[in-house]
Amino acid sequence: MKKGLTIIALLLFFTSCKDAKESFVLSTSVGQSNQLLVVVEAKDWSGKIGVNLREFLGKLEVGLPQPETTFSVTQIAPEGFGSMMNKYRNILVVQTGAKESFSTKNDFYARPQTIVYLTAKDKEGLNKQLDKHKKEIVRIFKDSEIAFLQRKFEAKKLDNSQFETLTKLGISLTIPKEFRKVDDTGEFLWLRQRLMSGIAQGDGVNNILVYSMPLTEEFDLDPGNNVIKHRNTIGEKYIPGSKEGMYMITEAAYTPETIETMVDNKKAFETRGKWEVKNDFMAGPFVNYNIIDKKNNRIIVVEGFTYAPSIDKRDFVFELEAIAKSIVIN
């Protein structure tokens, strides 16, 4: 009898523990877009380790008119990393320990949250670890921020079936409802969002372009120049300025940067640069993706460009990047 009661008591105990765990809800994480909290000793932040961290976390973003860094970084010492600070969405912990390690935890103190831990036996080892993993660190936090925005947009996305171009191309995008149609020919889609906050209110706009091109051997031989040639052609055909003879082109004084990447599990080319209106003074940054769709012998192009005079534009372009990378090609 006593044995039976003991078993029942144990079952009730473990059941209550499970219920308590399932009912526990993490706090909502805090932090602006691309904001990163670095947990590291103050003396290390002011020394070589800090120089190393600021060099790759504070790298200037390509294609922006004003100098803006990859991340907005805040540093805090380990003793200050308590319940008030551990709710940041993106956290990098740089610390000494018994052995070298590099790991990631998600949703530990809050949700959503990404924490990267980098550990080495001494200061010299920390710098070596940073050199070894810096590209991976940037990628982890960037991917996390992209996923965060895409989840946010998913909750208020437009119905893709209303756009003839997306339907004919057989693709889908997670586009927030704030965007409005400018043009939709069945071959070319242009959507625009008015930026309704800050000093850009009234003038600022985010834009999305979607179209396709035939896949040719010429493109793969020189993707950078071909991207620019094709986007200038599209600009002249579809994106006019305020007067005759004005249309969007790639800014001639700034050489765009093209890199190979993956989008929708397909080879793609990402190009960042500046656009301008020919014979006018309008200009701004763009991010362009040429996605190789071998199955359909074509290139799908998704581009985002921003016009937001006199204010920082990093986060606007980042939102356009998140939308472009949400593409699914059927």
Side-chain angles (χ1 to χ4, degrees):
M1 180 69 175
K2 289 182 179 180
K3 184 178 180 181
L5 289 173
T6 301
I7 292 172
I8 291 171
L10 286 171
L11 286 171
L12 289 172
F13 172 77
F14 287 119
T15 301
S16 64
C17 287
K18 182 181 178 183
D19 290 342
K21 184 178 180 182
E22 289 179 349
S23 63
F24 179 73
V25 178
L26 289 171
S27 302
T28 301
S29 58
V30 299
Q32 300 299 315
S33 182
N34 293 305
Q35 188 172 17
L36 176 61
L37 179 68
V38 178
V39 183
V40 64
E41 295 284 359
K43 60 183 178 181
D44 292 332
W45 181 250
S46 61
K48 291 182 179 179
I49 291 171
V51 171
N52 200 348
L53 284 163
R54 288 188 291 274
E55 184 177 321
F56 73 86
L57 296 177
K59 184 178 179 181
L60 296 182
E61 286 288 273
V62 174
L64 300 180
Q66 297 96 358
E68 297 183 66
T69 57
T70 301
F71 298 105
S72 300
V73 178
T74 301
Q75 178 268 336
I76 190 169
E79 57 268 25
F81 184 60
S83 58
M84 292 292 291
M85 302 300 291
N86 63 18
K87 303 300 189 294
Y88 268 72
R89 191 164 64 247
N90 300 304
I91 302 171
L92 171 62
V93 180
V94 180
Q95 59 192 1
T96 54
K99 60 180 181 179
E100 288 188 354
S101 66
F102 180 80
S103 62
T104 303
K105 286 184 179 178
N106 295 314
D107 303 343
F108 190 70
Y109 299 107
R111 180 181 289 118
Q113 186 178 62
T114 300
I115 309 176
V116 174
Y117 294 90
L118 187 143
T119 308
K121 295 179 180 180
D122 52 33
K123 312 300 183 186
E124 183 181 353
L126 284 176
N127 265 319
K128 288 181 179 178
Q129 282 280 78
L130 287 171
D131 288 338
K132 179 181 178 181
H133 294 289
K134 59 186 178 182
K135 288 184 179 179
E136 188 175 1
I137 291 169
V138 171
R139 179 188 58 76
I140 288 170
F141 286 121
K142 281 290 186 184
D143 288 351
S144 175
E145 285 292 87
I146 289 288
F148 171 75
L149 280 177
Q150 288 175 343
R151 288 193 299 270
K152 181 180 174 181
F153 295 158
E154 180 71 28
K156 53 173 185 176
K157 67 177 182 178
L158 291 171
D159 179 5
N160 282 198
S161 66
Q162 67 182 289
F163 302 116
E164 185 181 356
T165 300
L166 298 185
T167 302
K168 284 192 173 182
L169 292 178
I171 64 176
S172 63
L173 285 164
T174 303
I175 306 167
K177 64 182 181 181
E178 289 82 5
F179 280 84
R180 298 289 182 268
K181 181 175 68 175
V182 179
D183 199 3
D184 183 16
T185 69
E187 296 180 346
F188 172 82
L189 176 65
W190 179 4
L191 302 175
R192 173 180 289 162
Q193 171 198 15
R194 293 285 178 186
L195 303 176
M196 302 302 292
S197 61
I199 62 173
Q201 184 174 352
D203 291 329
V205 288
N206 262 357
N207 299 267
I208 299 169
L209 310 178
V210 184
Y211 54 96
S212 70
M213 303 182 300
L215 179 59
T216 64
E217 290 184 8
E218 177 192 9
F219 180 87
D220 224 15
L221 291 172
D222 190 2
N225 282 332
N226 279 293
V227 166
I228 301 312
K229 181 176 71 175
H230 288 136
R231 77 176 304 279
N232 286 345
T233 300
I234 289 294
E236 184 175 6
K237 183 176 181 180
Y238 291 110
I239 309 175
S242 58
K243 297 179 181 178
E244 188 174 349
M246 295 181 177
Y247 52 87
M248 188 175 76
I249 59 172
T250 307
E251 184 178 310
Y254 181 92
T255 303
E257 180 180 285
T258 298
I259 62 170
E260 187 174 325
T261 186
M262 296 290 290
V263 177
D264 191 32
N265 296 316
K266 297 173 179 62
K267 178 180 174 181
F269 293 93
E270 175 191 281
T271 301
R272 294 177 184 268
K274 299 175 186 176
W275 62 270
E276 63 182 354
V277 174
K278 186 176 181 180
N279 300 321
D280 200 357
F281 296 104
M282 292 182 69
F286 73 84
V287 57
N288 174 294
Y289 291 92
N290 276 239
I291 306 161
I292 310 302
D293 180 18
K294 286 188 176 181
K295 177 184 174 183
N296 297 299
N297 197 37
R298 63 183 180 173
I299 299 170
I300 297 293
V301 181
V302 183
E303 176 172 314
F305 67 96
T306 296
Y307 177 68
S310 304
I311 63 170
D312 290 342
K313 302 166 184 62
R314 179 193 68 185
D315 294 341
F316 296 140
V317 175
F318 192 70
E319 289 187 0
L320 295 170
E321 178 183 348
I323 294 169
K325 288 181 174 178
S326 73
I327 191 170
V328 176
I329 301 173
N330 299 324

